[in-house]
Amino acid sequence: CSSDAEVAGTLSAKAGAAALTTGGCDAAAFAAIDKIVDWIVADRRDGDVVLVMSHGASGGIWAKLLVALEAAA
């Protein structure tokens, strides 16, 4: 995964994910919280680090992610 990925113009989730993917990173953009949780849980591996940043409750992603990860363990 390259940290040299650049996004020109206005940043959007899709543009950011595309730039990261081009740099070899595993990245995606979703419109629904449940899709984000499903993607993280489906592709997780031991040692992975997940960073979730938001400006608020973000549809309860914290609780949904913890419940889904515990259920998948």
Side-chain angles (χ1 to χ4, degrees), residues 22-71:
T22 299
C25 299
D26 189 13
F30 301 96
I33 298 298
D34 290 337
K35 296 292 184 187
I36 296 169
V37 171
D38 292 345
W39 184 76
I40 291 170
V41 173
D43 292 330
R44 69 171 172 57
R45 295 182 301 259
D46 285 344
D48 281 354
V49 175
V50 176
L51 171 65
V52 179
M53 298 172 56
S54 75
H55 63 288
S58 294
I61 190 169
W62 317 108
K64 290 178 181 185
L65 185 55
L66 290 175
V67 167
L69 287 169
E70 286 180 359

